[in-house]
Amino acid sequence: MPEVRRRAVALVVLCAASLMVVLDGTIVAVALPSIQAELGFTSAGLAWVVNAYLVAFGGLLLLSGRLGDLLGRRRVFLAGLVVFTASSLLAGLSTDAAVLVTARFVQGIGGALASAVVLGMIVMMYPEPRAQARAIGVFSFTQASGASIGLIAGGALTQALDWHWTFYVNLPIGIAALVLAPLVVDADRGRGLRTGIDALGAVLVTGGVMLLVYGIVETGAALPLAGAALLLVAFVVRQARARTPLLPLRLFRVRAISGANVTMVFMVAGMMGFQFVTALYLQKVLGLDALATGLAFLPAPVMIAVFSLGISAKLSARFTPGAVLLGGLVVVVIAFALLTTVPTDGSYFLHVFPALVLMGSGAGAAIPAVMGLAMSGTDPADAGVASGLITTTQQVGAAIGTAVLATAAAARTAGLASEGARAALASGYRLAYGLSAGFVALAAAAAVAIVLVRRPRPAAEPELCVAGQAR
């Protein structure tokens, strides 16, 4: 197989597997009522069908990325696919609530192993800047649109078949990726465990991020959040002193990398929280059913595809990735500002559709840019951990956004109950959209630091370089 074609097939395999993992975070959402009715979940227990996956996935991303650097990224990717696919089968076969929650936790472990190394593999596979930008655009599309596609697929599968198929759908994708990946994805040896793995650091960061995600999804549980803070502070201290740190702190000296990760937290907090709130607005206020709600999100992934699969790379080449990131975030803020006006008797095409088009356009431009910046200036030996880091911040942002927006909307709705159920709900959702706009505005503020990074002066003008140093 020609090299160009082999790399293209490898990119499709990696992105398809990554999309499968992203889908799993939301595809089950619209099936939750059916799962509760069949397996007898309590209302509190039902949340753990989602939360068990999020806790394991978010907590293990950083460790998974470093394992890819040490053991070989393809090896870790394949191991994650095996775990994820097998646990998907177990989840689909579940006839007991405890078995399903356990299977979801194991799915999170497999998802972390498989997805944490994908971006690092793509960057190494496409070293040429323009080709790399296009490849990152394809990967970014899977990350940005996966949640929306999951809602559409979940509604269709649940309505046409039953909830078990929201898990069975992973089997053909996982098996195909396991067969094709060894044929088209280059093996990498990794540096080996003998070079040293910071076991204490691994325990600290995994425990810290798991407690952080748990504390967030449990709506601000104080004790887990305090424990997370202590463990993460201890982790940073450990990384500063360890001979072979799990997360080299030198990565944060590159302003583009540190700025990209901060931007990602706030950007995803706004975007993922928005999807949760919009699904509720469409069903509880506008009266759409599960399938119609999923289809209503379609404009967003379509526009994300249009921008991330071509336009974003061209804009980054014409301007700078930082400028494209900032411009995309401004468009997303405008989209959320429009949604803060949704009325109780609103119309989908008048009040929601235009905002989805704007949000998809802005996200499609911004997400490839922030992904590329997060990997910029990364040593090949650290590509796995850098990939795991940006995926971790993405996951933490999603948990923060969903928890904050859901809590704020519920509190506003409860306070206005006397005004009528639909009016109170709409008011709560408007508040949530305003908070989404605020999160993305904070992301834009972080992006300003990236835009202001001064480019190095050309080597052909030594007198200007000397003058710059004299300053």
Side-chain angles (χ1 to χ4, degrees), residues 73-451:
R73 295 178 197 105
R74 192 181 76 170
R75 182 180 298 173
V76 170
F77 172 74
L78 291 173
L81 280 180
V82 170
V83 174
F84 186 88
T85 306
S87 56
S88 295
L89 177 60
L90 177 61
L93 294 172
S94 297
T95 56
D96 178 79
V99 172
L100 178 58
V101 170
T102 301
R104 290 288 285 165
F105 187 85
V106 179
Q107 267 191 307
I109 295 173
L113 289 168
S115 63
V117 295
V118 169
L119 184 57
M121 295 167 76
I122 291 172
V123 168
M124 295 298 104
M125 193 165 59
Y126 287 92
E128 194 274 322
R130 287 193 177 183
Q132 185 181 105
R134 288 193 294 270
I136 289 176
V138 175
F139 173 76
S140 300
F141 165 70
T142 67
Q143 299 295 294
S145 63
S148 295
I149 295 173
L151 291 171
I152 297 169
L157 288 170
T158 302
Q159 197 155 311
L161 298 168
D162 58 44
W163 68 264
H164 299 273
W165 285 91
T166 62
F167 300 110
Y168 291 151
V169 71
N170 295 328
L171 302 183
I173 302 172
I175 292 169
L178 282 168
V179 171
L180 291 173
L183 301 177
V184 296
V185 178
D186 289 333
D188 55 309
R189 294 178 58 86
R191 291 183 293 174
L193 291 176
R194 286 181 297 179
T195 60
I197 183 169
D198 180 16
L200 176 58
V203 171
L204 290 172
V205 73
T206 301
V209 175
M210 280 188 172
L211 281 175
L212 176 63
V213 174
Y214 173 80
I216 293 169
V217 299
E218 285 293 291
T219 318
L223 190 58
L225 291 175
L230 289 174
L231 289 176
L232 292 175
V233 168
F235 171 70
V236 172
V237 173
R238 171 66 181 175
Q239 298 315 284
R241 298 178 178 178
R243 184 175 62 86
T244 54
L246 183 71
L247 175 62
L249 297 183
R250 65 177 180 274
L251 289 176
F252 295 103
R253 296 181 191 139
V254 181
R255 190 185 298 182
I257 295 176
S258 55
N261 279 277
V262 173
T263 299
M264 180 63 86
V265 171
F266 291 119
M267 178 174 68
V268 175
M271 292 182 184
M272 287 300 292
F274 140 82
Q275 291 189 331
F276 173 80
V277 170
T278 302
L280 293 176
Y281 175 76
L282 292 172
Q283 291 185 71
K284 295 189 175 184
V285 177
L286 298 190
L288 276 61
D289 62 23
L291 180 57
T293 296
L295 292 173
F297 279 94
L298 195 57
V302 168
M303 295 309 300
I304 288 170
V306 169
F307 276 80
S308 65
L309 298 181
I311 295 177
S312 180
K314 293 177 182 177
L315 290 173
S316 293
R318 176 71 182 273
F319 303 102
T320 66
V324 173
L325 170 61
L326 183 57
L329 292 174
V330 170
V331 173
V332 175
V333 171
I334 294 171
F336 288 142
L338 290 176
L339 287 170
T340 60
T341 65
V342 292
T344 303
D345 56 348
S347 160
Y348 167 75
F349 285 103
L350 182 61
H351 298 104
V352 180
F353 179 81
L356 289 175
V357 171
L358 282 175
M359 197 280 292
S361 302
I367 291 177
V370 77
M371 289 285 188
L373 288 163
M375 300 299 293
S376 62
T378 302
D379 188 280
D382 295 327
V385 73
S387 174
L389 177 62
I390 191 65
T391 313
T392 300
T393 56
Q394 181 180 3
Q395 192 64 28
V396 170
I400 291 173
T402 302
V404 170
L405 268 63
T407 303
R412 170 65 67 86
T413 298
L416 298 174
S418 61
E419 298 184 8
R422 291 179 67 223
L425 286 167
S427 180
Y429 300 147
R430 286 194 293 270
L431 172 62
Y433 288 134
L435 293 173
S436 287
F439 275 130
V440 181
L442 289 173
V448 169
I450 304 173
V451 175

